[in-house]
């Protein structure tokens, strides 16, 4: 079931519509600065003043099972969790929601050995992750990225209020927007893509690219970016991510590259590689012609004719947004670092990419981006 969604400027004031009946106690999971800076604190105080409120601040750089379990040990289980923040905050709220409802340790939380969690309403303060629309939470543990997935982690309510997203620093906003664009594009070509995910992805792409083309600073363009990002979240909830995401996690955990910037580094090259899908390397049971057609549609959405032009268009967008374009810019300067990066890619995580990428493909891609 999709979360109940309220959209638009000021929609945070409608949160009571989403609060389940019989709710008495609410835990607000929030970021360290965005809650105040976005104005969410003042707005929620007015709407939720009648409930018993407690707060948990997620201030670590990345969400982790360890943090969620420590938090759950210190907090009383509420009737509802309201997550207000970026993707890391919403992911943390999901992990805490599971940890508060079940007797879990790190392993069982990472393996999603649970089937219920405290209901969540999510209000992103950054347009990008789409976590308010997905049933999974990213968790990092000992340098490895896990995707904790269970239907109970899908928020019961999502509030996409662009007025909460104005205070986000521009470098964080830029990376998060590229993440949203990657969700949309990867939802076009993923093995698990469906007609529904491609429809959502097209809408998402159009909104995001139109928001960019309008400069991203006017109210109208910011609204488009926010709506596009949440559509992309809904698309990725169906299609799941592909090679650009699989490759990104090492850069985030080892080099602290913001998630969207890490995805951006390889997205164009992955698009181009997937365009060369043929019967010898195709993983998608619908066949290589289907994959090439999906890539053509992605090129159309980007307003270009060829995969190479699409890669260049994505690179131009990285430049416009001030994101790094080469691995050397994010700290991978030595050949040994690039080799470790290439070796860290887990083949299992590449299973949703429509074209098989073997060790040589990955090594060549990493060298191309050096
Ligand atoms: Fe992402």
């Amino acid at each position: 079931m999709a979360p109940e969604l309220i959209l638009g400027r000021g929609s945070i004031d409608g949160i009571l519509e989403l609060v389940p009946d019989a709710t008495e106690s609410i835990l607000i999971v929030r970021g360290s600065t965005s809650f105040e800076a976005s104005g969410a604190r003042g707005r929620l105080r007015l709407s939720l003043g009648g409930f018993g409120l407690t707060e948990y601040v997620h201030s670590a750089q990345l969400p982790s099972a360890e943090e969620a379990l420590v938090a759950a040990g210190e907090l009383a289980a509420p009737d509802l969790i309201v997550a207000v923040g970026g993707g890391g905050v919403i992911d943390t709220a999901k992990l805490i929601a599971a940890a508060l409802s079940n007797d879990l340790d790190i392993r069982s939380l990472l393996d999603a050995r649970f089937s219920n969690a405290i209901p969540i309403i999510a209000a992103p303060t950054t347009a990008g992750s789409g976590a308010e629309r997905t049933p999974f939470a990213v968790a990092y543990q000992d340098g490895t990225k896990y995707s904790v997935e269970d239907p109970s982690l899908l928020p019961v309510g999502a509030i996409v209020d662009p007025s909460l997203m104005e205070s986000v620093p521009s470098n964080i906003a830029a990376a998060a927007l590229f993440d949203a664009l990657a969700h949309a594009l990867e939802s076009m070509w993923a093995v698990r893509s469906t007609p529904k995910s491609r429809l959502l992805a097209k809408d998402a792409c159009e909104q995001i690219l139109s928001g960019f083309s309008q400069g991203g600073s006017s109210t109208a363009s910011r609204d488009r970016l926010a709506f596009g990002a949440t559509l992309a979240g809904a698309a990725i909830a169906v299609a799941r991510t592909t090679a650009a995401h699989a490759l990104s996690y090492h850069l985030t955990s080892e080099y602290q590259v913001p998630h969207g910037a890490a995805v951006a580094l390889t997205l164009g090259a992955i698009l181009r590689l997937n365009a060369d899908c043929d019967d010898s390397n195709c993983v998608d049971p619908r066949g290589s012609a289907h994959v090439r057609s999906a890539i053509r549609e992605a090129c159309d959405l980007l307003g270009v004719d060829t995969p190479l032009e699409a890669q260049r268009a994505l690179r131009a967008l990285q430049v416009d947004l001030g994101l790094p374009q080469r691995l050397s810019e994010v700290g991978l300067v030595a050949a040994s670092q690039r080799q470790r990066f290439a070796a860290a890619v887990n083949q299992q995580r590449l299973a949703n990419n429509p074209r098989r990428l073997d060790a040589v493909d990955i090594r060549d891609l990493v060298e191309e981006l050096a």
Side-chain angles (χ1 to χ4, degrees), residues 209-286:
L209 293 170
S210 140
F212 281 143
S213 70
Q214 293 170 2
S217 56
S218 68
T219 302
S221 64
R222 282 171 173 261
D223 287 2
R224 282 178 175 272
L225 292 167
F227 301 154
T230 202
L231 281 167
I236 212 70
V238 176
R240 305 302 198 269
T241 55
T242 69
H245 267 73
L247 282 155
S248 75
Y249 299 116
H250 179 81
L251 301 175
T252 296
S253 63
E254 297 295 311
Y255 296 90
Q256 291 75 50
V257 183
H259 172 64
V263 172
L265 272 163
T266 64
L267 184 67
I270 293 295
L271 182 153
R272 207 202 60 235
L273 276 173
N274 284 342
D276 288 335
C277 187
D278 60 29
D279 291 345
S280 72
N281 58 29
C282 184
V283 175
D284 194 314
R286 293 165 293 194

Side-chain angles (χ1 to χ4, degrees), residues 320-343:
D320 283 352
L321 291 170
L323 298 175
Q325 298 115 59
R326 309 217 70 88
L327 295 170
S328 57
E329 293 174 68
V330 298
L332 285 83
V333 284
S336 59
Q337 291 173 304
R338 294 196 296 278
Q339 282 158 12
R340 268 194 67 224
F341 172 39

Side-chain angles (χ1 to χ4, degrees), residues 171-234:
N171 60 328
I172 294 177
L177 286 169
F178 216 107
D179 184 30
L181 183 60
H183 293 162
L185 292 173
E186 290 181 73
S187 295
M188 299 290 296
W189 64 62
V191 173
R192 290 180 68 175
S193 65
T194 65
K196 182 185 169 189
S197 78
R198 285 196 297 279
L199 205 59
L200 286 163
K202 279 183 202 167
D203 273 359
C205 255
E206 280 163 9
Q207 295 273 354
I208 293 167
L209 293 170
S210 140
F212 281 143
S213 70
Q214 293 170 2
S217 56
S218 68
T219 302
S221 64
R222 282 171 173 261
D223 287 2
R224 282 178 175 272
L225 292 167
F227 301 154
T230 202
L231 281 167

